[in-house]
Amino acid sequence: MGALFCAAAIHVQAEPVRPMPNIIIVATGGTIAGAAASSTATVGYEAGKIGVDQLIDAVPEIKKISQVRAEQLFRIGSENMNNDHWLKLAKRINVLAKQNDVDGIVITHGTDTLEETAYFLNLVVKSKKPIVLVGSMRPATAMSADGPLNLYNAVILAGSKEAVGKGVLVSLNDEVSAARDVTKASTMLVNTFRSPELGALGYIQDGRPYFYRQPSRKHTTESEFDISDLESLPAVDVVYAYANSNRVALDAFVKAGVKGVIHAGMGNGSFSEPMKAGLIDARKEGVVVVRSSRVGNGVVARNGEARDDELDFVVSDSLNPQKARVLLMLALTKTTSTKDIQRMFYSY
Ligand code: GLU
């Protein structure tokens, strides 16, 4: 009897069963949903052809690790992503992120402008919940397509507690990157997304995220930008510098009524004499001028290659030209003060 009593008293403390996270996949198109004519074709396919339900059905493992729901918001190649798409997407993400039955959000996206969308959302989504952008380099129909594992990893990440509060993340090729730092770095390789010099935040392996760093710049819930009442964004364009560069395109942008211009300068943000004259004239017209660099790494020094204080120019810090455009558009929704805009470039 005593032995029996002892046996009954010993019971294994069961691990609390964690409910599967509720994940929404918001689809926008891109190669991850692309279909080509043959399994050996990796270019010359139609982006965004495959619907989100079909994408999810192709990875049945996703339903074993999450309660997944899907929305098809757009079906476009991301080269056609524009300000209107961004506002619509950001507003939808803000609505979804507020819902109690949503733990994380995955956004499928073409890789061409994925970094810009990620940075835009990083500045305007008001939530600590994981928001993960994912794409692929090979279409869904290709041999060794990278989309299925990328999508599975993105769902893992969006449902993980490790990703909470880290801002908008980008996940492809088993890596986790910060929206601010990551850029598309190869026209074709599956490891195209890199954060050169600064590095990725971590990895995903066998269904588990591993983080080693975190973003240090302000994002999401700490951001001062609010797009909830906006129907459009201020016009900002990019002028590219090169040997022999002139001011023709810049003057056309100014004439078209642009509110800000990003100069994708050479080296540490330098410009040719004709471009300098054009930028000074643009500033006199009230256009906000931001000096960035086409190099893609490093800080553009204030009062380095140009006397920014005197010319009333702003420097982009380490943001590449396409991301500097995103931040300048948002900055111009709040202020035209170059002092304040410079502060924003050093904060986000
Ligand atoms: N240009 C297309 C896009 O950005 C395909 C590139 C891709 O998704 O990898 O959507």
Side-chain angles (χ1 to χ4, degrees), residues 29-32 45 47 76-79 109-113 136-137 184:
T31 297
I32 193 165
Y45 52 84
I76 58 170
S78 71
E79 61 276 11
H109 198 291
T111 57
D112 290 358
T113 60
S136 75
M137 287 300 283
K184 186 172 185 179

Side-chain angles (χ1 to χ4, degrees), residues 78-293:
S78 71
E79 61 276 11
N80 285 316
M81 193 58 73
N82 61 30
N83 294 353
D84 294 338
H85 291 117
W86 278 347
L87 288 172
K88 190 171 174 193
L89 176 63
K91 286 175 188 176
R92 186 66 192 141
I93 299 299
N94 272 324
V95 167
L96 292 171
K98 277 203 190 84
Q99 294 176 2
N100 289 336
D101 61 350
V102 173
D103 297 311
I105 301 171
V106 170
I107 301 165
T108 61
H109 198 291
T111 57
D112 290 358
T113 60
L114 189 149
E115 67 193 82
E116 292 159 68
T117 301
Y119 188 52
F120 181 74
L121 295 175
N122 195 50
L123 298 177
V124 301
V125 167
K126 305 288 175 197
S127 177
K128 285 189 188 306
K129 290 182 185 174
I131 317 282
V132 181
L133 274 93
V134 65
S136 75
M137 287 300 283
R138 295 178 183 148
T141 47
M143 198 188 303
S144 301
D146 52 333
L149 184 57
N150 286 349
L151 186 62
Y152 177 78
N153 282 343
V155 172
I156 289 280
L157 191 59
S160 74
K161 58 181 185 322
E162 291 91 336
V164 171
K166 296 227 170 40
V168 172
L169 300 171
V170 172
S171 179
L172 283 90
N173 201 44
D174 304 343
E175 281 184 312
V176 183
S177 305
R180 184 188 184 278
D181 301 333
V182 76
T183 192
K184 186 172 185 179
S186 167
T187 59
M188 54 180 286
L189 299 180
V190 293
N191 68 334
T192 187
F193 279 97
R194 301 179 207 159
S195 306
E197 298 188 345
L198 299 176
L201 301 180
Y203 306 117
I204 306 180
Q205 189 181 56
D206 287 3
R208 183 177 157 191
Y210 295 77
F211 276 91
Y212 302 91
R213 312 174 208 287
Q214 33 190 338
S216 62
R217 293 299 177 94
K218 291 207 277 188
H219 57 74
T220 55
T221 51
E222 294 174 336
S223 166
E224 65 206 90
F225 306 114
D226 183 0
I227 49 85
S228 50
D229 292 327
L230 294 183
E231 295 302 326
S232 64
L233 292 166
V236 173
D237 281 295
V238 179
V239 280
Y240 201 83
Y242 42 89
N244 202 49
S245 47
N246 58 52
R247 57 183 284 180
V248 176
L250 170 63
D251 288 346
F253 284 138
V254 174
K255 201 163 165 233
V258 82
K259 299 288 180 257
V261 72
I262 308 296
H263 181 253
M266 298 163 278
N268 203 319
S270 64
F271 34 53
S272 65
E273 282 301 329
M275 187 72 90
K276 178 179 177 183
L279 291 169
I280 290 170
D281 288 346
R283 183 68 201 116
K284 282 190 194 138
E285 299 275 323
V287 175
V288 174
V289 174
V290 175
R291 288 196 305 118
S292 179
S293 173

